[in-house]
Amino acid sequence: MTAAPTGEAEPGRTRAGLKAQAASVLSLLDRPLTSYYLVIGCTLLLLALGLTMVLSASSVVQLKNTGSAFTLLQKQATWVAVGLPLMAITAMLPVRTFRVLAYPIMLLAILGLALVLVPGLGQSAGGATRWLSFGGGLQLQPSEPAKLGLVLWGADLLARKEKLRMLTDWKQLLIPLLPGTGLIVLLVMLGDDLGTTLVVFVIFLALLWVIGAPLRLFIGVLGLVMLLASILIVVEPYRMKRLTGFINPTGDPLGANYQSNQGIYMLGSGGWFGQGLGEGRAKWEYLPHGDTDFIFAVLGEELGLVGTLIVLGLFGLLAYAGLRIARRVRDPFMRLAATGITIWVVVQAVVNIGAVIRVLPITGIPLPLVSYGGSALIPTLIALGVLLAFAKREPGARQALAARGPGPFARVLSWLGLGPR
């Protein structure tokens, strides 16, 4: 017998090695705590990127206005320092707690949205009235906790009806879920916030999709969404300018299209690897709202295509983890809530990034976990804490966590008498 030529054997060994590596990666994805660690890892990496880019995008303007380049960074770091412990505590709560808290969160959010419309309390910016002012520069955007309230309330409502086998009638799918969603949408619409209105509707559709609503119901709701969006666009001149600017990007370059033009220029100027952290031009007042709505453009300018792909990859992994949790948990409430939270965060990211790269009109929605702002950051971190709590209830997750032992944060809570019982 003669040995096979080396040139013929090498490709076979290479293919076998690639198959072994692929099998190793797939085995990692099949582990019980995969979703848990993906949510934690993606969240922390996006927060770190966000803090870095908030500093880079705001340093020049803040130095000019306040005398310190670190003003917005310090505020954002404070909100992160508040939000992360809240996320950790939320992850340790039993599922029943979320079902109990869903109703007061929903009621408080509706009350906050109503108070925004009261003259003297509501603060306007960018054509929308979104914030409650408490003096001393402290503001709250009630529409952000309203998203969390709608997810938990809607999930609990549909889970109860599914347990009672009431969802065979399409009316039970909509009542009282549709009136509750409609009330939030109405209050948000009165504040002229089209972007949040669309996200609320997406959460509503996600809940209906998970519960198995018929196609005709989706078509009807989508028609209603399109009608309301059209009304909101027509009645507000600044939205019409944004829409016409999106349709005709070469028109009005110093007016309606200025922000989008500058954003795409900054994004494109980054090349493959960017101009370097702190080396971008956007911070020199060339790009409006570079630390909030258009932070993705600043990131692309300074970190290049590689940086933007990392952000897209992190949101993609977060979407995978959230939907994996929804698929693996057995409880209908957890399945509904996990899907709603995942769709909320990911769709908001898609809408923000889509506006920056000019495939969607500008809506003023921030990039979750990355853009500056505590009103959006803290509810998002709490929602991700809910996802972590659900991830612990995937098959085999409890045993894996018990074998690993409590983490340092859990031990501190236990010493303080605040740990789970």
Side-chain angles (χ1 to χ4, degrees), residues 274-341:
Q275 298 180 9
L277 279 174
E279 299 298 325
R281 293 171 296 170
K283 63 170 62 67
W284 296 92
E285 301 187 65
Y286 286 108
L287 177 64
H289 305 293
D291 53 357
T292 52
D293 304 350
F294 271 67
I295 199 166
F296 189 74
V298 179
L299 189 146
E301 182 190 22
E302 300 194 354
L303 300 182
L305 179 64
V306 172
T308 60
L309 290 178
I310 288 173
V311 171
L312 290 174
L314 289 173
F315 278 113
L317 286 173
L318 197 57
Y320 168 78
L323 294 178
R324 183 179 187 269
I325 293 168
R327 181 176 59 85
R328 288 167 60 89
V329 293
R330 299 185 179 93
D331 181 65
F333 167 76
M334 288 193 286
R335 187 174 70 249
L336 285 158
T339 304
I341 290 169

Side-chain angles (χ1 to χ4, degrees), residues 47-58:
L47 285 173
L49 269 173
L51 288 170
T52 304
M53 299 319 302
V54 164
L55 172 61
S56 185
S58 66

Side-chain angles (χ1 to χ4, degrees), residues 176-202:
L177 181 60
L178 181 59
T181 305
L183 179 58
I184 291 177
V185 166
L186 175 63
L187 293 171
V188 173
M189 284 175 59
L190 290 174
D192 293 326
D193 189 351
L194 176 60
T196 300
T197 300
L198 295 177
V199 173
V200 169
F201 266 121
V202 167

